[in-house]
Amino acid sequence: MSLDAKNVIESGKAILGIEFGSTRIKAVLIDDNNAPIASGAHDWENRLENNIWTYSLDDIWTGLQDAYKKMTEDVMEKYGVKVTKLGALGFSAMMHGYMVFDKNGDILVPFRTWRNTITEEASTKLTELFNYHIPQRWSIAHLYQAILNGEEHVKDIDFQTTLEGYIHWKLSGERVIGVGEASGMFPIDINTKDYNQTMVDKFDALVADKNFPWKLRDILPKSLLAGEAAGNLTAEGAKLLDPTGTLEPGCPLCPPEGDAGTGMVCTNSVAVRTANVSAGTSVFAMMVLEKDLAKPYDAIDLVTTPTGNLVAMVHCNNCTSDLNAWVNIFKQFAESFGMEVDMNKLFGTLYNKALEGDADCGGLLAYNYFSGEHITGFEEGRPMVVRTPDSKFNLANFVRVNLFTSLGALKVGLDILMKEEGVKCDKVTGHGGLFKTPVVGQSFLAAAMNTPVSVMETAGEGGAWGIALLASYLVNKADGESLDDFLNNKIFAGQKSVTLEPKAEDVAGFDQFIERYKAGLPIERAAVENL
């Protein structure tokens, strides 16, 4: 039986998860039923300094302290008590990037975030060396690029980590990282659930002539699985989190994880043959694989779940921006007739109209490229709608083609996995703005993947809730209880969700559309070159 929230907080059993997103730091406190009971947030922004996207250490600590303080104020307002003790604590952040420290613990160069595309040479060379796709944002690409650039600081590196690994280290003294985030620092061997030793050896050999005083494993954090002990909050750490001194040290910390890992946890997509698709301004799919892919693909990043299972990630820059721009045109049209426009109703009406369209969008073609799209090889984009004189150009097909194209680049990447590699997926969970209107986006994703798609009624509190659940798993799991079982039985058992099966005619229609989409890419290329 659950204690009430006030008792949970007073008895020191409440669990805290904090996630550093790219625009917001969020702290979520959960009770003994793993339900959110209080939260606090701090908005922040990265800055472009010397052509590097970064956040300063001051930004990091003042942001962390402010999010924590606001959470405690929320607790005081709701329950009239102070937070003096926690049951467990976890940190998460946007993945990868570059943070390196000397033996005194001082940062050697400003934090280089995942947004920086300054490591192309390193990324290409390491991909060839390892025969394994190394994206530009991965920590190892940043390290090798710094070596290729001849940067003076590299010889002084004593520790390299990511944002949440840094915070965890400062609060616990432990140089560790969750395996999901470790997989974006350096490739993981899914058999050992640790850095791939063959590739570690290749990297050390590659830079041996530089005579650095370190080997790669000396400077990387230790990789840990979900549920493994990752240290405790030290007295110094408690003071860093809560400068008022109210919070007592001693609570256990779970391995720090990246936002991809917490996204899998909060959508219950960590088991093999499950996937989640996040569709908003950008769109990405994470599919948990049964085995390694046959070869590396530029379009596909390989990471792991917090339990060390291999995950294929297809990430696209463009999703709903162009769709939203078109909906705005219809809003202006309606307002020109003196109508008051309810945006939710407008989205709902237009999206539902798409269900009346032809399965293949009546021969229409659209590209939603506000920016470049790595998967189809574009550095920049031009949104456009194209048709032949005999296309069936009506409102239903127009909205439908704009919805289809929001998943177009994603479908190109997913087809590599599902059609070329034969990856099987039993369950997909959709989350994000595309799924706000019931049925429509969900049924089109089901058609694109030819797999049932579920949307949960509650999206929880996102990644901050996800890392709180990983902290809860650390202290509340039964002997031998896997993270999959813990999530299924203790978190999502009563969770309401709506599942839609793919319709055969929609699947066939999406396949026809995607052939037209691929064939028409030279039109998009011509627009980029001439417009």
Side-chain angles (χ1 to χ4, degrees):
M1 182 186 143
S2 172
L3 301 161
D4 67 36
K6 183 179 175 182
N7 287 342
V8 172
I9 297 162
E10 284 188 309
S11 63
K13 290 195 170 74
I15 290 171
L16 181 64
I18 299 182
E19 180 157 277
F20 287 70
S22 45
T23 57
R24 168 169 276 210
I25 303 168
K26 188 157 190 183
V28 170
L29 194 70
I30 62 173
D31 64 14
D32 54 333
N33 274 337
N34 300 296
I37 49 175
S39 65
H42 172 88
D43 291 337
W44 71 334
E45 272 185 57
N46 54 187
R47 345 160 167 213
L48 190 63
E49 290 177 359
N50 303 318
N51 283 326
I52 302 278
W53 287 106
T54 188
Y55 301 88
S56 73
L57 296 191
D58 275 354
D59 293 340
I60 293 168
W61 292 110
T62 54
L64 174 67
Q65 289 164 357
D66 188 46
Y68 179 83
K69 177 168 166 274
K70 285 182 175 146
M71 180 277 298
T72 61
E73 287 166 355
D74 192 30
V75 166
M76 181 54 80
E77 198 175 303
K78 285 179 178 158
Y79 312 109
V81 291
K82 288 185 173 180
V83 180
T84 57
K85 242 168 93 179
L86 293 168
L89 174 62
F91 292 100
S92 172
M94 51 206 150
M95 295 176 84
H96 327 324
Y98 188 67
M99 294 189 91
V100 284
F101 302 87
D102 66 17
K103 60 180 188 307
N104 300 320
D106 295 324
I107 197 160
L108 288 163
V109 288
F111 171 30
R112 297 170 184 175
T113 78
W114 63 273
R115 278 191 74 177
N116 290 292
T117 49
I118 52 176
T119 62
E120 188 175 359
E121 185 187 359
S123 160
T124 305
K125 286 183 170 167
L126 291 175
T127 296
E128 282 170 19
L129 178 72
F130 298 151
N131 191 30
Y132 191 98
H133 179 48
I134 304 293
Q136 285 207 43
R137 63 181 183 279
W138 281 20
S139 305
I140 191 64
H142 279 279
L143 176 64
Y144 189 46
Q145 192 64 53
I147 292 169
L148 291 171
N149 296 348
E151 294 186 45
E152 189 57 32
H153 76 268
V154 177
K155 66 178 187 329
D156 299 320
I157 296 174
D158 184 63
F159 182 41
Q160 174 175 9
T161 189
T162 63
L163 177 53
E164 70 271 33
Y166 164 64
I167 293 155
H168 184 103
W169 170 46
K170 289 296 182 191
L171 267 60
S172 69
E174 299 290 335
R175 296 183 173 199
V176 298
I177 201 89
V179 67
E181 180 72 332
S183 70
M185 294 194 75
F186 193 87
I188 294 290
D189 177 339
I190 55 169
N191 297 312
T192 63
K193 314 280 192 202
D194 192 10
Y195 303 116
N196 184 306
Q197 190 57 47
T198 308
M199 296 183 196
V200 168
D201 294 340
K202 281 184 177 176
F203 183 84
D204 283 337
L206 178 70
V207 301
D209 62 329
K210 308 284 185 203
N211 295 314
F212 295 128
W214 51 260
K215 291 271 197 291
L216 187 60
R217 273 192 184 269
D218 302 338
I219 62 172
L220 288 179
K222 182 176 171 17
S223 167
L224 295 176
L225 301 179
E228 291 190 326
N232 296 76
L233 184 64
T234 61
E236 300 80 11
K239 207 70 197 249
L240 270 173
L241 187 56
D242 178 14
T244 69
T246 310
L247 179 66
E248 296 171 18
C251 79
L253 274 72
C254 70
E257 263 302 347
D259 52 7
T262 58
M264 289 181 242
V265 169
C266 69
T267 56
N268 195 17
S269 312
V270 296
V272 166
R273 292 173 68 129
T274 64
N276 79 86
V277 173
S278 170
T281 309
S282 65
V283 60
F284 63 85
M286 318 276 298
M287 300 181 78
V288 188
L289 306 177
E290 296 175 275
K291 60 181 198 305
D292 269 318
L293 299 181
K295 60 178 193 190
Y297 296 91
D298 254 4
I300 292 160
D301 298 350
L302 291 174
V303 291
T304 77
T305 66
T307 51
N309 285 327
L310 194 63
V311 176
M313 180 177 186
V314 180
H315 184 279
C316 312
N317 293 335
N318 301 284
C319 185
T320 57
S321 296
D322 195 39
L323 194 56
N324 294 345
W326 279 114
V327 173
N328 221 29
I329 290 288
F330 287 106
K331 171 178 180 267
Q332 291 170 27
F333 171 78
E335 285 171 345
S336 304
F337 281 87
M339 299 178 203
E340 284 238 350
V341 180
D342 173 329
M343 287 308 283
N344 285 334
K345 195 173 174 190
L346 180 60
F347 269 102
T349 304
L350 287 171
Y351 276 35
N352 279 295
K353 193 75 187 164
L355 297 175
E356 299 169 21
D358 296 295
D360 74 334
C361 310
L364 303 185
L365 176 59
Y367 293 102
N368 63 336
Y369 295 6
F370 259 62
S371 62
E373 200 53 83
H374 171 70
I375 285 177
T376 47
F378 284 84
E379 292 293 315
E380 48 185 300
R382 301 289 182 271
M384 62 163 82
V385 177
V386 187
R387 61 193 169 104
T388 60
D390 58 351
S391 300
K392 291 183 191 160
F393 188 51
N394 55 37
L395 182 60
N397 282 334
F398 179 77
V399 181
R400 190 179 180 97
V401 79
N402 280 291
L403 277 157
F404 271 29
T405 202
S406 67
L407 299 169
L410 185 76
K411 166 85 168 154
V412 172
L414 289 173
D415 279 354
I416 293 171
L417 291 171
M418 301 176 92
K419 293 183 176 175
E420 291 180 35
E421 286 279 345
V423 171
K424 298 282 186 285
C425 187
D426 303 326
K427 174 177 156 281
V428 180
T429 302
H431 52 115
L434 186 69
F435 306 108
K436 272 190 183 156
T437 297
V439 178
V440 187
Q442 189 179 355
S443 66
F444 291 167
L445 179 62
M449 295 184 73
N450 196 12
T451 306
V453 173
S454 303
V455 173
M456 292 179 189
E457 281 188 8
T458 53
E461 296 278 348
W465 183 54
I467 192 68
L469 293 180
L470 285 170
S472 174
Y473 175 63
L474 172 72
V475 293
N476 292 323
K477 65 181 184 297
D479 274 355
E481 184 177 29
S482 70
L483 180 61
D484 308 6
D485 289 342
F486 178 80
L487 293 175
N488 281 326
N489 303 333
K490 294 183 178 162
I491 312 299
F492 295 101
Q495 180 79 261
K496 289 185 179 163
S497 66
V498 178
T499 302
L500 290 182
E501 298 285 332
K503 290 183 185 161
E505 63 270 27
D506 284 346
V507 173
F510 212 119
D511 280 342
Q512 282 176 280
F513 163 76
I514 211 69
E515 288 312 312
R516 189 183 315 131
Y517 180 98
K518 290 192 286 199
L521 286 168
I523 309 169
E524 175 71 16
R525 174 73 55 214
V528 170
E529 287 167 4
N530 295 289
L531 196 60

